[in-house]
């Protein structure tokens, strides 16, 4: 087992209510470790508690209870060293638009007390592929470039842990792939990366382990492959030769839904039946099949199932 880069134990955050509103528990005793050297996914619906957790690690929000250690340093008793060992890339783009990328990094280095001789501004600009924009005003950068500059800004003090809060929000597919490459490069150099994202294919592609938070509680924390493997389901898409009226039914079908005039998707458990038996049942009920495709359940299916189960129990 790898050492823990981040240790979170029984973390609680309660926000005081305003007026007649009762207090709100944003985090309800969350506990997990982030393994050193990993790319770790932190997922959850809006309002689940992810941002609160990140803001506690960043020192921007005071926790109500529990313990957080960053690189072995308690955020309460050893706040300075805890902060030196983590870099946070926020969702919001925050830097002076009239500074150049080089000046943004130099100023950030100064905030951390790094002498000019030891600053890595040029090196970081090359790493995030912004060396050619060294002297451009930050306000002239594209959205993707600004995201990459935020990553460089978070790395000026060479922290061993980098937290990326929705780093690809609002960027196009090409820029998203560039940011994925950058995350992989940083991780290959030994940086532990914590990633929050709404793009589940992004988490499935990048993360070795994923924790899912819902309503302030941890509802899953497993290696990505194991998490996806929790779903024994398979989906078969069937195209038939005429518009679909009544859908076929069978006790072995977990779900059967119409997704086009002549296309239905049937979800079934691989341990209970096979795709061949599903198709035979469709044909027995009078449908003439023109085309078939199948896919395994993915992280999106797991996420939907886990959060919907959790919502039902609330």
């Amino acid at each position: 087992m790898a050492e823990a880069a981040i240790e979170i134990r029984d973390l609680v955050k309660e926000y005081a209510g305003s007026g007649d509103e009762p207090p709100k528990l944003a985090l309800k005793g969350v506990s997990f470790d982030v393994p050193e050297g990993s790319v770790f996914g932190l997922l959850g619906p809006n309002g689940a508690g992810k941002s609160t957790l990140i803001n506690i690690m960043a020192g921007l929000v005071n926790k109500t209870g529990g313990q957080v250690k960053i690189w072995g340093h308690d955020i309460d008793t050893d706040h300075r060293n805890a902060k030196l060992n983590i870099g946070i890339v926020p969702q919001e783009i925050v830097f002076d638009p009239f500074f150049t990328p080089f000046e943004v990094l130099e100023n950030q280095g100064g905030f951390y007390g790094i002498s000019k001789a030891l600053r890595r501004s040029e090196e970081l600009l090359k790493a995030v592929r912004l060396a050619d924009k060294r002297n451009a005003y930050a306000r002239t950068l594209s959205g993707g470039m600004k995201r990459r500059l935020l990553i460089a800004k978070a790395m000026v003090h060479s922290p061993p842990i980098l937290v990326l809060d929705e780093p690809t929000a609002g960027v196009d597919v090409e820029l998203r792939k560039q940011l994925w490459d950058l995350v992989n490069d940083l991780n290959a150099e030994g940086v532990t990366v914590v990633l929050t994202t709404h793009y589940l294919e992004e988490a499935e592609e990048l993360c070795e382990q994923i924790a899912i938070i819902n309503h302030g509680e941890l509802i899953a924390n497993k290696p990505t492959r194991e998490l996806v493997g929790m779903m024994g389901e398979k989906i078969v898409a069937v195209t038939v030769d005429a518009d679909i009226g009544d859908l076929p039914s069978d006790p072995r079908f977990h779900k059967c839904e119409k997704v086009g005039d002549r296309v239905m998707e049937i979800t079934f458990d691989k341990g209970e039946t096979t795709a061949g038996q599903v198709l035979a049942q469709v044909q027995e009920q009078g449908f003439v099949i023109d085309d078939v495709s199948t896919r395994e359940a993915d992280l999106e299916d797991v996420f939907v199932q886990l959060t919907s189960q959790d919502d039902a129990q609330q």
Side-chain angles (χ1 to χ4, degrees):
M1 287 289 291
E3 294 291 324
I6 299 173
E7 299 171 63
I8 296 172
R9 295 289 177 273
D10 303 316
L11 186 61
V12 175
K13 175 58 185 177
E14 183 177 81
Y15 290 102
S18 58
D20 294 332
E21 294 180 5
K24 180 190 175 185
L25 264 180
L27 294 171
K28 306 171 184 176
V30 171
S31 298
F32 63 87
D33 289 344
V34 176
E36 182 182 327
S38 66
V39 180
F40 187 93
L42 183 62
L43 307 183
N46 286 333
K50 304 186 304 296
S51 293
T52 296
L53 197 155
I54 288 171
N55 287 333
I56 288 171
M57 290 193 290
L60 300 175
V61 169
N62 293 323
K63 60 185 174 60
T64 305
Q67 184 182 53
V68 177
K69 286 186 178 180
I70 295 170
W71 215 246
H73 304 285
D74 189 288
I75 63 169
D76 291 329
T77 60
D78 195 3
H79 174 74
R80 184 174 183 276
N81 281 316
K83 194 161 187 176
L84 284 172
N85 281 284
I86 195 167
I88 308 283
V89 181
Q91 289 184 44
E92 300 80 16
I93 293 174
V94 281
F95 41 69
D96 192 312
F98 295 99
F99 285 168
T100 67
F102 180 77
E103 290 169 339
V104 167
L105 300 188
E106 285 291 291
N107 288 339
Q108 188 73 358
F111 293 150
Y112 277 94
I114 303 168
S115 67
K116 286 196 173 185
L118 296 176
R119 291 178 196 167
R120 304 165 53 225
S121 302
E122 303 283 8
E123 176 191 336
L124 287 167
L125 287 174
K126 287 179 186 174
V128 299
R129 304 176 186 91
L130 287 176
D132 60 331
K133 299 293 183 181
R134 179 190 190 280
N135 298 316
Y137 284 127
R139 70 176 186 274
T140 68
L141 302 180
S142 69
M145 291 175 181
K146 289 174 180 176
R147 292 279 177 197
R148 300 205 301 271
L149 181 55
L150 283 180
I151 292 174
K153 184 180 173 187
M155 293 299 294
V156 295
H157 56 299
S158 303
I161 303 168
L162 184 65
V163 177
L164 299 164
D165 193 6
E166 301 283 353
T168 58
V171 303
D172 62 32
V173 173
E174 183 180 349
L175 289 173
R176 190 177 305 159
K177 294 289 186 185
Q178 290 178 12
L179 287 167
W180 288 11
D181 290 341
L182 181 55
V183 168
N184 283 325
D185 290 346
L186 289 168
N187 183 243
E189 292 169 9
V191 177
T192 300
V193 179
V194 178
L195 174 74
T196 80
T197 178
H198 277 89
Y199 300 107
L200 296 177
E201 79 278 8
E202 183 166 83
E204 193 165 356
E205 174 76 21
L206 294 175
C207 301
E208 300 151 45
Q209 185 160 338
I210 291 172
I212 300 176
I213 293 179
N214 196 28
H215 298 297
E217 297 180 293
L218 188 73
I219 61 171
N221 179 22
K222 294 179 182 293
T224 306
R225 292 297 99 210
E226 188 179 327
L227 200 57
V228 173
M230 288 170 59
M231 296 286 287
E233 291 183 336
K234 194 165 188 171
I235 297 114
V236 58
V238 182
T239 304
V240 296
D241 71 337
D243 288 358
I244 298 168
D246 293 333
L247 288 163
S249 62
D250 187 277
R252 294 168 296 181
F253 296 175
H254 287 197
K255 185 165 61 175
C256 182
E257 57 186 353
K258 181 177 170 182
V259 295
D261 290 340
R262 300 187 178 190
V263 184
M264 67 184 87
E265 282 191 348
I266 300 169
T267 304
F268 61 96
D269 191 311
K270 293 181 290 184
E272 296 175 357
T273 189
T274 67
Q277 290 169 326
V278 168
L279 296 175
Q281 189 56 238
V282 170
Q283 288 176 311
E284 277 183 29
Q285 296 187 34
F287 293 91
V288 177
I289 297 173
D290 276 350
D291 192 26
V292 174
S293 64
T294 63
R295 70 174 177 88
E296 302 289 332
D298 57 16
L299 183 59
E300 183 170 0
D301 299 304
V302 177
F303 181 84
V304 169
Q305 185 184 67
L306 287 171
T307 53
S308 59
Q309 284 176 351
D310 186 58
D311 288 345
Q313 292 167 7
Q314 293 294 319

